[in-house]
């Protein structure tokens, strides 16, 4: 089963459909991550500084090496 994707949306779909996981990696400083909701866990590791990350109605500034974990 394929678990590594070039799109965040595809990784989420894989995780939900297969009750497994999907990996998404972006080398851009501003990947296209529109606000989205989904019924799966999410782990986000920032390797560089970015804009903001929204989790449960709270906005966090993204700094290098930040790790965000959202459990549904």
């Amino acid at each position: 089963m394929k678990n590594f994707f070039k799109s965040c949306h595809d990784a989420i779909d894989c995780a939900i459909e297969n009750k497994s996981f999907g990996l998404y990696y972006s080398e851009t400083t501003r990947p296209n991550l529109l606000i989205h909701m989904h019924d799966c866990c999410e782990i986000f590791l920032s390797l560089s500084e970015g804009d903001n990350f929204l989790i449960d109605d709270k906005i966090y500034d993204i700094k290098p090496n930040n790790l965000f974990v959202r459990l549904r």
Side-chain angles (χ1 to χ4, degrees), residues 31-50:
N32 184 14
L33 299 177
L34 300 175
I35 294 176
H36 59 273
M37 300 295 292
H38 43 79
D39 189 27
C40 63
C41 300
E42 182 173 8
I43 299 172
F44 178 90
L45 173 62
S46 173
L47 300 178
S48 61
E49 196 157 348

Side-chain angles (χ1 to χ4, degrees), residues 23-36:
L23 299 174
Y24 164 67
Y25 172 78
S26 174
E27 291 186 8
T28 65
T29 56
R30 293 184 178 201
N32 184 14
L33 299 177
L34 300 175
I35 294 176
H36 59 273

Side-chain angles (χ1 to χ4, degrees), residues 7-26:
S7 117
C8 181
H9 184 267
D10 291 344
I12 291 168
D13 284 349
C14 173
I16 293 170
E17 289 173 16
N18 298 306
K19 298 188 185 322
S20 181
F21 67 93
L23 299 174
Y24 164 67
Y25 172 78
S26 174

